[in-house]
Amino acid sequence: MTKLSASLRTLTISHLAKALAAGSLCLAAGIALAGECPADDRVADGQGQKPGATSPVGVSDVVRATTDLSKEPAGIKGRQLRLRQLDIAPGGIVPWHSHDNRPAMIYIVTGEIYEYASNCKVPILHKAGDVASEKKGTSHWWKNIGSEPVRLISVDLFPGDAKMDSHMM
């Protein structure tokens, strides 16, 4: 091997190592910023963010569709598959609520919004394109601290006999 090819090989390996390290850092940062509580900030339920407002502020909540799951092949009695659109004005608050009996997925369509979860020590930033998984052990509230409206699409397994109220957002 010539001196030049050995130097190029060393240079290439050095660049590759730096690129892998930078990519790993970006990936790790992306995971922390992709709408999840960073792993080192996860805590037992009730040890994270404290309850916030108990009524919605600046929130439009429209049910776009429902499906009675007792009439579908899954045969889940007493549950609806529900799709909603939530528009949160600047300064708006989705009040404190629990998902112990109602799993959901939230897709952030536009804007940025913070989630204050009972099982995370820090507020969680959600950006357009993120999906937040809400399941048993999740109690939280959300706030739009930005200057632009936020639009969310929520899909949940809503108890069919329950009435919509501000604690079931």
Side-chain angles (χ1 to χ4, degrees):
M1 183 182 307
T2 68
K3 267 187 168 182
L4 179 59
S5 63
S7 294
L8 286 174
R9 183 171 181 260
T10 302
L11 183 62
T12 302
I13 290 172
S14 172
H15 280 103
L16 180 59
K18 288 177 185 174
L20 287 173
S24 296
L25 288 173
C26 289
L27 181 59
I31 290 170
L33 295 175
E36 292 184 12
C37 180
D40 57 341
D41 287 320
R42 292 183 188 140
V43 294
D45 189 34
Q47 300 301 308
Q49 301 294 300
K50 300 304 174 206
T54 57
S55 295
V57 175
V59 178
S60 166
D61 184 349
V62 178
V63 175
R64 295 287 183 194
T66 61
T67 299
D68 180 348
L69 292 176
S70 69
K71 297 176 183 174
E72 296 300 317
I76 304 172
K77 292 183 180 176
R79 291 289 173 158
Q80 294 178 11
L81 178 62
R82 180 177 69 161
L83 184 136
R84 298 178 300 145
Q85 177 180 319
L86 291 91
D87 291 302
I88 301 103
I93 296 173
V94 175
W96 182 262
H97 59 280
S98 171
H99 287 274
D100 282 347
N101 190 32
R102 186 178 50 92
M105 296 282 192
I106 308 296
Y107 175 70
I108 292 74
V109 179
T110 59
E112 295 184 356
I113 191 164
Y114 280 91
E115 174 188 4
Y116 301 85
S118 63
N119 55 5
C120 189
K121 291 191 287 187
V122 297
I124 304 163
L125 175 62
H126 297 278
K127 297 179 178 184
D130 288 350
V131 175
S133 177
E134 302 174 330
K135 50 194 168 244
K136 187 175 182 176
T138 301
S139 293
H140 61 168
W141 61 285
W142 300 58
K143 185 170 185 179
N144 178 359
I145 64 171
S147 59
E148 300 292 324
V150 173
R151 175 163 290 166
L152 310 175
I153 297 295
S154 171
V155 177
D156 64 1
L157 292 179
F158 190 70
D161 57 351
K163 300 281 188 249
M164 180 65 186
D165 70 32
S166 62
H167 296 298
M168 296 201 71
M169 305 237 20

